[in-house]
Amino acid sequence: MTSLKPDHLAARDAASAPAAAAPGPLQGLKVIELGQVLAGPFAGAIFADLGAQVIKVERPDGGDDARNMGKPFRHGDAMAFHVFNRGKASVALDLKDAQGLADLHRLLADADIMVHNLRPGVPQQLGIDGATLCARHPRLIYCEMSSFGAQGPLSQRPGYEPLIQAYSGLSSINGDPDGPPMRMGASVCDQGTGMWTVIGALSLLQRRARTGRGGIVSASLLETAMTWGAQKVDAYLNEGTLPERHATGHPGFVPYEAFEGNDGPFLICVGNDRLFEKFAAVLQRPDWTRDERFARNRARLQHKAELLGQIRAILRTRSRLDWLAELEAAGVPCAPINTVPEVVREAQIAALGLIQQVPGEDFALTGLPLSFDGLRPAIRSGAPRLDEAGERLLGRPPPGRNPTPG
C-alpha cells in the first residue's frame, strides 16, 4: 500500500531504532557542559552519544540561546537545540550568584571533564577559568573553545561560523571560479571545533590515567578552519601556489567534477589513467585514450576545457540514471548529486542505521558517524527541558517554584 505521508515523514519513520541496551564506551564518565548554540553543545552531544553522563548548565533566564534559534519544533525549543543537545540533563544556574557558583562546584567535584564555549573573558570574570578550576579540582579536564584562539591579538574577539570561514580563507576557496567566495553550507568550523575538543579531552584522560592530574584543552574555530584548509595553505607556503576555486572539480584530475544528464546532475571522479580508459569506453570514445592530448592525466589537465566540452555534449544526451548504471558497472567512481530529500531515501543510508528514532519522542536525528564492534552509538534520549534535572542533581526545586510544604 502506498504511504500517504509526506516524503520527509516517511523517511523519518523509516529511521532505525537505537540499540538502547548497548552501553556506550564512555559509560561512567561525567561531563559538565556550559555550551551555547553549537561548538560546545556539539562536543557535549558527542560525549552523550558515547555513553557519558552529560550535565548541561544553562542560564535560568531562557537557557541556551539555541532553544530560540528558529521556530519552535518540540517542547517550545528550536530544531537546532534538539540536534545538538540530545542525551543530556539540564541544570539552570546563575553563575553570577554565589549559590549558583557553589552548585557548579558541587557538580564539578566528581566530574571528569568540563566543556565550555563562553564568550572570551567571561570565565575569568566568573572565576571559572581553566587555571582556577584545575587548581581547585586537580583531576578535572577543562576544555575551552573560542572563536580566534586562546592567544594572540584577536583572542578576546567573539565570532561566528561565517566570520571564521571568511577570515580563515575557507570562503575564498569555495564556490564557482567565476563567482564570489562562498560560505560552506555546513557549520564545519563549529562542529569541527567540538570534535577536536572531544579528541583533546580523551587524550588528556589517557594522560590522567598515568599522572592522576587533569589539564586544559584549548580549541578554536579559527584553528579548526586553518586545519581544514591546510592543503591549500601549505601549498601556498611551500610552493607559492595560489588556491583556485574549482566548484565541484579537482585541481589535479580530469575529468573529476559534476556533469549534467538530461534529467539532473551527477559527479564523476576519474582519479587515474586506468579509470579514464574505462570512462572513455562507456562514452564510446576509445579514441581519447590514443589522443596525446587526453591519454594521460597531466595532458588532460593541459587540455581540460577541450575535453570537458566533448564530455558534456555526450552526457547531456541521456539520463543520469542511465549513465550512473553504466559507469558503476564499468567501475568508474560516480554518484548522483542528491538533494537532502533524495539522500535520506537512499537504501545505503537506511542500511547504515545512521538516522535514529529518538527514544520517547516522535522524531529522528542523525547519529554519530562511527561504530564500535559493528554497533553505532545510540541516541539515548531527546534534548532536556530547561533545568529538568536541577532538583534531581542538586536537591532543590527549579527556579521560580516553591518547595512543596511539609
Side-chain angles (χ1 to χ4, degrees):
M1 181 176 179
T2 302
S3 171
L4 298 180
K5 292 185 177 182
D7 286 349
H8 73 286
L9 294 181
R12 183 196 71 191
D13 292 347
S16 64
L26 297 185
Q27 187 177 35
L29 204 68
K30 182 177 178 181
V31 178
I32 308 300
E33 177 215 300
L34 281 70
Q36 282 280 337
V37 183
L38 215 166
F42 184 56
I46 295 172
F47 281 122
D49 279 3
L50 292 177
Q53 177 193 18
V54 179
I55 301 170
K56 183 179 181 70
V57 175
E58 303 186 72
R59 301 189 319 274
D61 57 338
D64 184 343
D65 290 336
R67 289 184 181 272
N68 296 298
M69 198 171 74
K71 64 182 181 180
F73 171 67
R74 293 292 187 276
H75 318 303
D77 296 318
M79 181 76 241
F81 182 79
H82 288 275
V83 171
F84 296 113
N85 291 281
R86 74 273 190 115
K88 304 175 187 178
S90 171
V91 171
L93 299 178
D94 181 358
L95 298 181
K96 296 179 181 178
D97 175 75
Q99 184 58 55
L101 277 176
D103 285 340
L104 177 62
H105 283 292
R106 285 176 59 192
L107 295 173
L108 291 172
D110 62 346
D112 298 287
I113 298 167
M114 174 179 155
V115 173
H116 80 76
N117 63 329
L118 298 171
R119 188 183 178 101
V122 169
Q124 289 77 10
Q125 294 169 12
L126 297 174
I128 59 171
D129 55 280
T132 300
L133 288 190
C134 287
R136 181 164 177 172
H137 307 284
R139 289 180 54 82
L140 181 68
I141 294 167
Y142 179 98
C143 301
E144 58 184 10
M145 299 178 226
S146 62
S147 294
F148 287 90
Q151 295 87 225
L154 301 184
S155 61
Q156 298 301 299
R157 180 180 291 188
Y160 291 97
E161 176 79 27
L163 300 179
I164 299 301
Q165 288 196 25
Y167 184 89
S168 68
L170 280 185
S171 295
S172 76
I173 62 174
N174 191 41
D176 189 271
D178 299 321
M182 296 182 67
R183 172 194 169 166
M184 298 179 189
S187 294
V188 293
C189 302
D190 265 313
Q191 290 185 255
T193 301
M195 183 180 72
W196 285 113
T197 297
V198 172
I199 293 171
L202 296 178
S203 299
L204 283 196
L205 271 180
Q206 178 70 10
R207 189 183 73 179
R208 191 184 73 177
R210 298 193 308 269
T211 67
R213 297 188 66 84
I216 300 173
V217 176
S218 298
S220 72
L221 275 67
L222 178 58
E223 291 164 280
T224 296
M226 293 297 291
T227 297
W228 294 157
Q231 183 180 3
K232 307 297 185 183
V233 171
D234 295 350
Y236 171 69
L237 289 175
N238 296 290
E239 299 176 337
T241 304
L242 289 171
E244 300 175 1
R245 292 199 295 273
H246 295 274
T248 60
H250 192 285
F253 298 113
V254 175
Y256 201 105
E257 58 190 85
F259 297 93
E260 291 279 344
N262 63 21
D263 63 346
F266 60 106
L267 199 72
I268 299 172
C269 297
V270 176
N272 57 53
D273 294 332
R274 299 179 302 280
L275 288 173
F276 183 71
E277 186 173 352
K278 295 177 180 180
F279 172 76
V282 170
L283 270 63
Q284 299 183 16
R285 290 298 305 268
D287 56 295
W288 285 343
T289 64
R290 299 186 297 272
D291 190 322
E292 64 180 14
R293 297 170 301 169
F294 308 142
R296 297 289 179 262
N297 183 62
R298 286 180 175 171
R300 291 194 295 277
L301 286 169
Q302 297 297 317
H303 300 276
K304 180 176 180 177
E306 185 174 355
L307 178 59
L308 291 184
Q310 296 183 44
I311 292 172
R312 290 184 181 119
I314 295 171
L315 294 179
R316 280 195 294 265
T317 63
R318 297 172 60 190
S319 74
R320 70 173 181 175
L321 288 179
D322 286 345
W323 286 121
L324 289 170
E326 288 199 29
L327 291 166
E328 288 172 6
V332 178
C334 58
I337 298 179
N338 281 327
T339 62
V340 170
E342 287 170 337
V343 72
V344 297
R345 292 196 299 266
E346 289 279 3
Q348 180 63 21
I349 300 302
L352 289 171
L354 189 60
I355 299 174
Q356 302 177 13
Q357 288 289 339
V358 179
E361 302 284 4
D362 64 347
F363 58 89
L365 296 174
T366 302
L368 291 186
L370 77 171
S371 300
F372 300 96
D373 302 321
L375 295 175
R376 189 175 306 282
I379 295 174
R380 297 171 183 274
S381 66
R385 276 65 151 188
L386 180 61
D387 202 41
E388 51 83 20
E391 189 167 12
R392 172 169 59 87
L393 295 174
L394 295 172
R396 49 102 174 132
R401 194 179 82 192
N402 293 325
T404 303

